[in-house]
Amino acid sequence: MAKNSDFMAAAALTLSIVAILAVAWFASYAMQTHVVGSSASHVTVSASGTAYGYPDQAVIYFVVNGTGKSSAAAYSNLSATLAIVNRSLSRYLNGNLSAIKTVYYNSYVIYNTTIHSQQEELSVTLSNASNVTPVLGVLSLENNLRVQDVQVQFSSAQFNNLLSSALGKAITNATQQAQAVASGRTVTLENVSIDSYQYYPLEINRVGAAGTISNTSFFTGTSSVVRTIYATFRIE
């Protein structure tokens, strides 16, 4: 099977993990607290907490192109490539081909020619982010395929766990601030309202360089979830 020379020329991916560079900023942000109001018996504070994790899922976006002397011929060539891709990816999806979804479809005649083109952009969701490297290797073998983007993300269960962890850290930060305001007196948490949460996903930059996909390793890096609360404490 012919290798995609354009893809292989850019196949050695240089991963710039911007989210990791921001860890120090996030840690500082997570410790921010603010006294909203206080009285002799109560104090209300705003606080944030941050939880970090290694995303366990990944989504790869790629475009498949089929050309021919007619629209039908172009579609036939596109379908042939997709059939190969489906067979190749099946082992990484536990046979669940529903993880491959169409994002965009386009049919046109190439400018100044009589050649028809059928183009389909697809996404494949990998439940195990460690499979990104071998899947990129599989996709690189297809001459009519171009990888567009790679994104990592938390699964629903992982994201909910991180939200819970961030909430716990926010409550801890709020309690420390309330204790400081109470000057050593006992404080008891009476009410918590969730102000907001922010998800800071991993950012990945892919830079073209000489080499082959087999020489490339994909690292998910760290992403974070920040949760902000308002907490009211009773001062004993």
Side-chain angles (χ1 to χ4, degrees):
M1 189 182 302
K3 295 181 180 291
N4 182 340
S5 59
D6 289 338
F7 177 81
M8 296 301 291
L13 309 182
T14 301
L15 305 181
S16 174
I17 312 304
V18 178
I20 291 178
L21 299 179
V23 166
W25 184 91
F26 287 137
S28 173
Y29 181 84
M31 293 300 295
Q32 287 185 5
T33 56
H34 177 67
V35 178
V36 177
S38 64
S39 65
S41 61
H42 290 82
V43 59
T44 299
V45 300
S46 173
S48 296
T50 302
Y52 301 92
Y54 292 92
D56 53 3
Q57 291 186 345
V59 182
I60 299 176
Y61 295 88
F62 60 96
V63 175
V64 178
N65 199 48
T67 57
K69 294 182 178 180
S70 66
S71 180
Y75 179 77
S76 177
N77 290 331
L78 172 68
S79 297
T81 300
L82 286 177
I84 295 172
V85 170
N86 287 344
R87 288 196 298 270
S88 300
L89 294 185
S90 180
R91 59 178 293 193
Y92 301 104
L93 304 174
N94 295 320
N96 179 24
L97 294 180
S98 65
I100 304 174
K101 300 183 184 300
T102 297
V103 177
Y104 175 78
Y105 194 94
N106 191 23
S107 176
Y108 59 94
V109 177
I110 298 175
Y111 182 69
N112 272 347
T113 74
T114 59
I115 302 298
H116 291 257
S117 176
Q118 302 275 341
Q119 188 176 80
E120 186 171 1
E121 181 179 354
L122 303 103
S123 68
V124 55
T125 300
L126 305 175
S127 59
N128 186 348
S130 64
N131 282 331
V132 169
T133 295
V135 168
L136 288 176
V138 167
L139 295 178
S140 73
L141 298 174
E142 295 306 317
N143 193 47
N144 297 317
L145 185 151
R146 182 179 73 256
V147 172
Q148 295 283 81
D149 192 20
V150 181
Q151 298 177 2
V152 291
Q153 62 188 28
F154 296 127
S155 63
S156 295
Q158 186 183 25
F159 187 64
N160 288 333
N161 287 337
L162 289 173
L163 278 176
S164 179
S165 178
L167 176 60
K169 292 178 180 180
I171 291 175
T172 297
N173 293 339
T175 302
Q176 293 172 349
Q177 180 68 10
Q179 289 171 335
V181 173
S183 301
R185 287 179 291 171
T186 300
V187 296
T188 302
L189 181 63
E190 285 194 341
N191 182 64
V192 174
S193 61
I194 308 300
D195 179 35
S196 64
Y197 75 83
Q198 293 83 38
Y199 168 48
Y200 294 92
L202 177 73
E203 296 184 24
I204 303 170
N205 293 329
R206 300 189 295 126
V207 181
T212 65
I213 199 72
S214 61
N215 296 327
T216 300
S217 295
F218 185 93
F219 302 97
T220 64
T222 306
S223 296
S224 62
V225 174
V226 179
R227 204 155 196 183
T228 302
I229 64 170
Y230 288 100
T232 299
F233 296 83
R234 184 177 69 255
I235 302 175
E236 306 293 347

